[in-house]
Amino acid sequence: MIRKVLLLTVLQIIILCLGAKTQPMSVQYYNMGQEALLQGDLFNAETQYTRAIELNQNYAEAYAQRGWVRWFSNRAGLALKDYNKAILLKPEIITTKNLRKVFGQLFEDYNEIIDDFNYTITIDTSEYKAYNGKEFIDLVAGDPFMKLDEYESELENDPENYQLMIRTALAEFYVHNYGNAIELCTRAIEANPNGQWAFFIRGNAYAMINNLSKSLKDYYSFEKIDNDFPVMYLNRGIVNVNLHNRYQAMEDFNMALKRRPDLYEAKYFKGKMLGENGKYDEAIDLLNEVISKDPTDLGALIHRGLYHKKRNNYIEALSDYDVVIKNETGIAEAYHNRGNLRVMIKDLNGAMDDFNEAISIDENLSITYFNRGVLRILMGDPFEGCLDIQKSRELGYKEAIDKIDLYCN
């Protein structure tokens, strides 16, 4: 079997080389990009498309394909530029028009998106994706409640229409009517038990009302129909985390990343779980990728700071908490953690300021009272320190209960 595969590969290379003699170099690079894309090598694919563009700056298809790769690599701004260039060079690239709506939505340029859909429909009146896309943009950009009324009216006139049920359920979910969304999805599943999107929307709605076991069941039903949707694995992983199914959660995040390596939400949750399991270096590596995408991702910064502290990287940890506090002043945990780090580097006054701030945000932080109490004793104020430790004890912090006699006898 290995030999046959090897022979076939060599034969393919010979054919490619023979064919390449009659092709411009730009086309050869484009084809190499297509090959890399099929192999899942996005970096190499982008490199080849870029080489093709350097040789032929009017190569619309190369811009379109590079745009797709950049979108999949979570670089929406660069992707949008590539799609706009492709459309300018070759307006009849319908798939490019359809995909540009995604990037336009990210930048809230809804009028341009609708223009794209209208253009696509003008060329191909059967283009159902464009019609559905227009409906979704109307929902997101307009008055969702008005749109919901419209969907409900259509559904009353055609109550067995599966697509109308799904569309209305999505609108109900979007305006946080989770019970209605669940009811509509249940009707849709009865009408079409193989329609995966009803399971997906209903699973999300169950998760939002904290009915996690039913949410999990719907996600598994979705997987039986479609096992290639990364966001489903991400959502199911989050539900498994909340159900304390840690092994299954990690499996889900891995499945999501296998299907979409740039799904940063999955990287965040996987990194967080790795850190909780004591794998600090691996956790930091993943969270680095998340933060490189969004330098103000507070969750990723807080957890990376915590894992840096566990690795005794105090300066790096302080830097993370500084960014968190700069962007959001109301997170008591960030001040508490930064206070602990300042104790480590002997900045006792700075630590006291942080503990004070944490308690001003959340007056029930038992551990912060304990830490501030110990710090006050170290700074020569045993009376106030013991009051803090007593307060921590009253709030139920175990170490304060066990050690109050050690500090305050």
Side-chain angles (χ1 to χ4, degrees):
M1 179 63 70
I2 293 175
R3 183 170 297 183
K4 287 181 180 179
V5 172
L6 203 58
L7 287 172
L8 181 61
T9 304
V10 171
L11 182 61
Q12 288 172 333
I13 292 170
I14 293 171
I15 291 171
L16 284 172
C17 289
L18 288 173
K21 292 179 180 178
T22 60
Q23 292 178 331
M25 282 299 297
S26 59
V27 175
Q28 292 181 47
Y29 282 130
Y30 176 84
N31 290 338
M32 289 165 67
Q34 297 291 78
E35 288 289 322
L37 193 60
L38 289 173
Q39 298 294 326
D41 187 348
L42 299 185
F43 178 81
N44 187 33
E46 182 176 353
T47 299
Q48 303 308 328
Y49 295 137
T50 300
R51 288 173 177 169
I53 291 166
E54 287 171 351
L55 293 174
N56 178 4
Q57 295 186 7
N58 295 317
Y59 204 157
E61 288 80 4
Y63 282 108
Q65 288 297 93
R66 191 174 70 174
W68 189 90
V69 169
R70 286 173 165 179
W71 156 248
F72 211 73
S73 303
N74 263 19
R75 288 172 291 157
L78 290 174
L80 181 58
K81 289 181 180 179
D82 275 345
Y83 274 97
N84 285 336
K85 182 69 173 179
I87 293 165
L88 180 66
L89 291 168
K90 198 170 184 179
E92 64 272 19
I93 299 182
I94 296 176
T95 54
T96 302
K97 282 281 187 180
N98 280 340
L99 288 170
R100 189 172 73 174
K101 69 182 184 292
V102 178
F103 312 115
Q105 184 183 329
L106 291 173
F107 294 97
E108 299 186 353
D109 193 353
Y110 298 114
N111 291 330
E112 186 175 12
I113 308 164
I114 295 296
D115 288 344
D116 282 348
F117 285 128
N118 286 336
Y119 179 90
T120 300
I121 293 166
T122 300
I123 293 176
D124 182 357
T125 56
S126 67
E127 236 294 329
Y128 73 95
K129 289 182 180 178
Y131 283 107
N132 287 342
K134 281 185 67 174
E135 288 287 338
F136 183 72
I137 295 303
D138 283 345
L139 173 66
V140 173
D143 183 340
F145 291 97
M146 185 181 297
K147 202 66 186 175
L148 178 57
D149 289 342
E150 180 184 321
Y151 291 161
E152 288 175 338
S153 177
E154 292 178 15
L155 191 57
E156 284 180 11
N157 296 325
D158 191 1
E160 303 304 316
N161 187 313
Y162 173 80
Q163 292 295 338
L164 278 176
M165 291 181 206
I166 293 296
R167 182 179 295 175
T168 309
L170 181 61
E172 293 280 18
F173 181 88
Y174 194 81
V175 300
H176 310 304
N177 292 338
Y178 303 122
N180 292 348
I182 289 168
E183 182 180 338
L184 281 164
C185 288
T186 302
R187 282 174 53 191
I189 291 166
E190 290 170 355
N192 178 12
N194 293 315
Q196 72 266 40
W197 298 113
F199 287 110
F200 182 69
I201 297 169
R202 191 173 71 173
N204 292 341
Y206 275 133
M208 295 304 293
I209 62 172
N210 211 35
N211 194 333
L212 302 183
S213 59
K214 286 188 175 180
S215 173
L216 202 60
K217 184 177 179 181
D218 275 343
Y219 289 141
Y220 279 109
S221 296
F222 180 102
E223 184 183 28
K224 289 177 182 177
I225 303 166
D226 180 356
N227 65 358
D228 203 37
F229 186 51
V231 176
M232 186 282 294
Y233 289 105
L234 168 65
N235 290 4
R236 193 173 73 185
I238 295 170
V239 169
N240 271 317
V241 167
N242 289 321
L243 286 170
H244 307 292
N245 300 330
R246 298 184 62 80
Y247 176 81
Q248 292 91 332
M250 184 63 81
E251 287 293 300
D252 281 335
F253 297 139
N254 285 333
M255 294 285 271
L257 290 168
K258 180 179 179 181
R259 285 155 177 77
R260 185 176 167 187
D262 68 325
L263 191 57
Y264 286 89
E265 292 85 353
K267 289 185 179 183
Y268 165 73
F269 282 102
K270 181 178 178 180
K272 182 172 176 288
M273 288 187 69
L274 285 169
E276 290 168 355
N277 291 335
K279 298 179 179 179
Y280 303 125
D281 291 336
E282 293 177 53
I284 289 169
D285 286 343
L286 276 175
L287 294 173
N288 285 344
E289 295 182 41
V290 177
I291 293 164
S292 70
K293 174 180 177 285
D294 180 3
T296 61
D297 187 310
L298 301 185
L301 286 161
I302 285 173
H303 286 96
R304 189 176 71 174
L306 177 62
Y307 305 144
H308 272 313
K309 178 178 179 289
K310 296 286 188 180
R311 299 288 293 120
N312 298 325
N313 302 330
Y314 300 138
I315 301 303
E316 291 88 342
L318 272 170
S319 177
D320 280 342
Y321 287 115
D322 286 343
V323 176
V324 172
I325 290 167
K326 180 180 178 181
N327 286 278
E328 176 55 67
T329 58
I331 302 178
E333 178 187 359
Y335 286 103
H336 172 88
N337 290 352
R338 192 173 71 175
N340 288 338
L341 287 163
R342 284 177 162 172
V343 171
M344 297 290 186
I345 64 170
K346 305 294 190 288
D347 178 11
L348 302 188
N349 290 325
M352 183 63 70
D353 290 341
D354 277 341
F355 290 148
N356 290 340
E357 191 64 36
I359 290 170
S360 74
I361 296 168
D362 184 353
E363 60 184 15
N364 293 310
L365 280 176
S366 60
I367 186 173
T368 308
Y369 279 108
F370 180 80
N371 288 8
R372 189 176 71 175
V374 174
L375 180 59
R376 280 177 162 166
I377 292 170
L378 289 173
M379 295 177 72
D381 190 355
F383 178 77
E384 292 293 333
C386 285
L387 288 179
D388 272 345
I389 293 173
Q390 180 61 36
K391 177 69 174 178
S392 177
R393 181 184 183 182
E394 291 169 4
L395 290 169
Y397 183 53
K398 188 175 185 306
E399 191 167 355
I401 295 170
D402 294 341
K403 296 184 177 179
I404 189 167
D405 291 338
L406 176 65
Y407 291 102
C408 306
N409 48 27

